[in-house]
Amino acid sequence: MRRNLEHQKVFAEQATQINAWDKLLINNNQKIIELNDAVGKVKNDQQVLDQELEFIATQHKELEESLAPLEKEFINLPRVDHERSQTYLMVENLDTQLKQMSEDLKEIIDNLNEANKGQDNTDPIIQIGKILNAHMSSLQWIENEKEGYNNSINWCAKK
């Protein structure tokens, strides 16, 4: 009987150990299934990513092919832009000079008009004042026309 008890005890210990191993195998099996599902999802995501990268690469290639002729044309543009810049600077310089001349003439005319308020219209100084007034009007017209040209040049520069 003692032997039976020993066998039962050994059997119980081995059964407990086998039961623990069985639980460990079941848990590990579940983890393997979860890992397999995760690997499958990663593979699907990788395929989608590869397709998107291929699409982007195709678009990039098409963009490069479209840009090639534009880049060739762009090489010739800096010379034109430089000339346009120089022309624009000259126009700005002329504009500044014309504005200064206009202000100077306006001052002269105002001074002459004040000095000649009570004088006779046949006086040569009054006649000179009238001539200067006419010149001033002409210069103002030139300035307005110049601004129109500046606007046209700016419009062309933007193109």
Side-chain angles (χ1 to χ4, degrees), residues 87-142:
T87 304
Y88 186 73
L89 288 174
M90 286 188 336
V91 167
E92 284 182 337
N93 188 20
L94 286 174
D95 179 48
T96 304
Q97 289 176 1
L98 283 174
K99 283 182 182 178
Q100 184 61 42
M101 288 174 62
S102 174
E103 290 296 320
D104 292 345
L105 284 174
K106 189 175 182 180
E107 279 183 45
I108 292 171
I109 290 170
D110 287 342
N111 290 338
L112 285 174
N113 285 340
E114 278 194 37
N116 297 322
K117 278 190 177 181
Q119 295 183 357
D120 186 17
N121 282 341
T122 58
D123 188 13
I125 293 178
I126 292 176
Q127 290 175 352
I128 290 172
K130 287 181 180 180
I131 292 170
L132 288 175
N133 281 335
H135 284 198
M136 182 65 177
S137 296
S138 296
L139 286 173
Q140 287 175 340
W141 178 83
I142 290 171

Side-chain angles (χ1 to χ4, degrees), residues 31-41:
K31 289 178 183 177
I32 289 172
I33 290 171
E34 289 172 3
L35 283 174
N36 190 33
D37 290 343
V39 167
K41 185 178 181 302

Side-chain angles (χ1 to χ4, degrees), residues 35-48:
L35 283 174
N36 190 33
D37 290 343
V39 167
K41 185 178 181 302
V42 168
K43 283 182 180 179
N44 288 338
D45 291 346
Q46 182 65 38
Q47 287 177 344
V48 169

Side-chain angles (χ1 to χ4, degrees), residues 79-89 156-157 159:
R79 224 177 307 124
V80 172
D81 287 341
H82 180 68
E83 291 173 10
R84 187 178 297 159
S85 295
Q86 285 182 335
T87 304
Y88 186 73
L89 288 174
C156 289
K159 283 190 166 189

Side-chain angles (χ1 to χ4, degrees), residues 56-68:
I56 290 171
T58 303
Q59 285 183 329
H60 183 78
K61 183 179 177 184
E62 290 174 2
L63 182 61
E64 283 181 343
E65 290 172 355
S66 298
L67 285 177

